[in-house]
Amino acid sequence: TFNKRESNNNNHNLHHFHHRTSSFSSLTMCEKSQTASLHDMPSLLDSEQRRNKKQTPKKEKRTYHTSADKYYLKHGTIPPPSAMHATLPTPSKSPSNSNVNNRKNVLIIGDVHGCLDELQKLHIKAKEQYNNNQPFRYVILVGDLCNKGPYSVGVIQYVRSMMEQNNNNNEGSFWYAVRGNHDDAALAAALGDKGRRDKKKYHWVTMGERTESQNNVVVMSDHNEGEKEEYAQAFLSDEDVLWLSELPYTITIPSSILMQDRNNSNDNVSDKEAKGEEVDAIIVHAGLIPGVPIEQQKVKDMVTLREVALQSSSLASFEAQKGSSKPKVKNDNNSNELQNQEESICVPWANAWNGPQRVIFGHDARRGLQLQSMAIGLDTGAVYGKSLSGIILPKRKIVSVNSERVYSPIGGS
């Protein structure tokens, strides 16, 4: 179980953003820290050693005795992370280490959706072609690590292993991720949400998925009239579920980090390219409501927002009603009043975002790459057979790799 850690510091660091060992069972979301630095957080739970021997496949590899399971059992909902909003450590607070000093720039990667091969290829391409084959200072994913693609367990365990390996020994890049709506949904399925477990797209959560990794359990499966097919099967572990439950909803990159990398760069950076590096950058999965302080942003908006409605010079979030072309508008005053579409102008939220922070997000594959002055959308439909994209800060260089194939149709399950 987790030990609750009280903190009066609203700016915690992300260098050692790992799972803590405290219980969520008696906590509510409002009692949890809204902002945290990842430098002061305890280390992740050590991964279980997976057996590498033949055995009859089992449906699940979890004990259901974790603090996240206990929270779900008591409250009927997924636990909020210990820190809703996290902040990367400023350069002065970074570990003093020669390997750390060799790191430069920040790579932010769009929605992966279980596309493990594309994730690895994008990281390698970005490092070799645009970072002088040096480790990035940070690699950050915008959420939706899982669902729809072939290797959801694989992506979760790969990113988690990169976080543990590099963040603990100061080798390579520091890896982090924020939570997306599909990560939240998979977490709910892992904790016992029957509605989601009954859906085919969540079967990987409890039934596991095929993998080429030799670190997973080898199982036997019936194949072609009694013949046996041998393959490796990957399952979510208790540690994987705890890791998902602790991902924050936003990560802030202080402008001092971006300015340091810009000043240390040997490349000539134009004023146009450098514009904005004097402001903080916020990583969020879907979006933020303009004009609302980050501590007051709602989880649903942070993981599902695509558009905002401009009404009488104010902003409101909305979601389209199923089976209707008219939007259901939720005003800033939390009114549930329905408004006609003609009474408001609905626009992509990124078009309405004027700062002061630069926001980098995903979630909107239909619109694809969005390059607004203060908001950048990176979901280019990797799982839909298009491409996986990332951006390198501070120069805001876009890098992409083509998807190997179509894993899921747009709009499909």
Side-chain angles (χ1 to χ4, degrees):
T1 61
F2 289 122
N3 291 320
K4 181 181 177 183
R5 179 176 60 87
E6 298 292 341
S7 173
N8 295 321
N9 186 355
N10 286 331
N11 263 332
H12 302 289
N13 260 275
L14 270 152
H15 259 313
H16 302 296
F17 171 48
H18 299 312
H19 288 309
R20 61 186 58 193
T21 57
S22 94
S23 174
F24 287 127
S25 60
S26 62
L27 301 181
T28 62
M29 186 177 296
C30 63
E31 289 176 312
K32 296 180 113 22
S33 173
Q34 287 290 307
T35 60
S37 92
L38 300 161
H39 181 65
D40 303 321
M41 291 188 176
S43 298
L44 279 164
L45 299 171
D46 293 332
S47 301
E48 290 181 353
Q49 295 295 324
R50 293 185 175 84
R51 294 166 292 170
N52 190 21
K53 61 182 180 181
K54 299 177 183 179
Q55 66 170 40
T56 302
K58 296 181 179 180
K59 289 186 176 180
E60 299 175 286
K61 297 292 179 181
R62 298 231 298 115
T63 67
Y64 292 90
H65 294 155
T66 72
S67 57
D69 290 291
K70 293 176 181 178
Y71 183 97
Y72 184 85
L73 184 63
K74 180 174 181 178
H75 299 280
T77 186
I78 61 174
S82 298
M84 299 286 287
H85 310 285
T87 301
L88 292 172
T90 58
S92 61
K93 296 180 181 179
S94 299
S96 178
N97 183 289
S98 59
N99 291 326
V100 173
N101 295 332
N102 289 333
R103 300 178 176 128
K104 64 177 183 178
N105 300 324
V106 180
L107 173 63
I108 302 164
I109 299 175
D111 301 42
V112 176
H113 278 297
C115 299
L116 179 59
D117 293 336
E118 288 81 353
L119 170 60
Q120 295 172 330
K121 289 177 180 178
L122 179 65
H123 179 232
I124 291 172
K125 177 180 180 179
K127 184 174 70 171
E128 292 182 349
Q129 296 186 17
Y130 303 106
N131 213 47
N132 297 324
N133 206 25
Q134 295 296 313
F136 287 99
R137 187 184 299 272
Y138 300 107
V139 176
I140 306 173
L141 284 75
V142 302
D144 276 5
L145 281 66
C146 58
N147 270 2
K148 299 187 178 184
Y151 300 117
S152 290
V153 175
V155 168
I156 290 170
Q157 294 181 346
Y158 176 76
V159 176
R160 180 176 164 234
S161 70
M162 295 298 284
M163 289 179 68
E164 292 178 336
Q165 174 185 337
N166 297 333
N167 298 14
N168 286 338
N169 62 18
N170 287 333
E171 297 288 341
S173 306
F174 291 127
W175 284 61
Y176 302 109
V178 297
R179 277 160 73 165
N181 57 308
H182 281 276
D183 307 314
D184 275 355
L187 179 59
L191 295 176
D193 186 316
K194 188 178 185 304
R196 288 189 170 89
R197 286 185 168 210
D198 289 342
K199 295 181 180 180
K200 183 178 179 180
K201 66 179 177 180
Y202 297 107
H203 284 181
W204 64 270
V205 175
T206 55
M207 303 294 291
E209 66 187 16
R210 290 197 182 195
T211 177
E212 297 178 359
S213 172
Q214 297 304 308
N215 295 325
N216 292 284
V217 180
V218 176
V219 300
M220 304 295 293
S221 173
D222 290 330
H223 184 66
N224 291 340
E225 297 182 357
E227 294 181 9
K228 296 290 184 178
E229 178 187 9
E230 184 176 298
Y231 60 90
Q233 190 87 340
F235 296 89
L236 286 178
S237 67
D238 285 346
E239 289 81 4
D240 295 328
V241 172
L242 288 173
W243 181 80
L244 279 174
S245 73
E246 280 295 328
L247 293 180
Y249 285 104
T250 72
I251 293 176
T252 296
I253 307 174
S255 59
S256 55
I257 293 175
L258 304 176
M259 291 298 292
Q260 182 185 61
D261 283 333
R262 173 190 166 195
N263 295 335
N264 292 341
S265 174
N266 294 325
D267 301 327
N268 293 322
V269 180
S270 67
D271 290 339
K272 183 177 180 180
E273 290 175 319
K275 184 180 179 181
E277 271 65 49
E278 70 277 6
V279 302
D280 294 348
I282 298 177
I283 315 303
V284 66
H285 175 62
L288 300 173
I289 301 296
V292 177
I294 191 168
E295 295 82 5
Q296 297 177 21
Q297 297 282 341
K298 297 180 179 180
V299 169
K300 184 176 181 180
D301 291 331
M302 290 188 287
V303 299
T304 64
L305 184 67
R306 288 193 176 98
E307 295 174 309
V308 292
L310 303 175
Q311 300 174 1
S312 303
S313 301
S314 66
L315 291 170
S317 67
F318 77 90
E319 59 182 357
Q321 291 178 312
K322 292 184 179 180
S324 171
S325 61
K326 293 183 178 181
K328 180 176 68 177
V329 178
K330 183 174 61 178
N331 296 322
D332 285 340
N333 61 5
N334 294 325
S335 169
N336 291 321
E337 178 184 1
L338 295 181
Q339 312 235 352
N340 291 328
Q341 192 166 11
E342 290 76 17
E343 295 177 359
S344 62
I345 301 175
C346 300
V347 298
W349 75 268
N351 291 11
W353 182 267
N354 295 317
Q357 307 94 336
R358 184 183 304 283
V359 180
I360 301 176
F361 63 100
H363 187 62
D364 200 347
R366 290 184 183 275
R367 288 192 173 91
L369 189 65
Q370 299 181 61
L371 299 174
Q372 303 302 324
S373 60
M374 295 300 288
I376 299 173
L378 294 177
D379 188 354
T380 51
V383 76
Y384 305 123
K386 296 182 178 181
S387 63
L388 180 64
S389 298
I391 186 170
I392 301 172
L393 299 180
K395 292 190 292 181
R396 304 205 297 276
K397 173 67 179 179
I398 300 295
V399 56
S400 299
V401 295
N402 292 330
S403 301
E404 294 191 358
R405 63 183 179 87
V406 177
Y407 302 104
S408 175
I410 294 180
S413 59

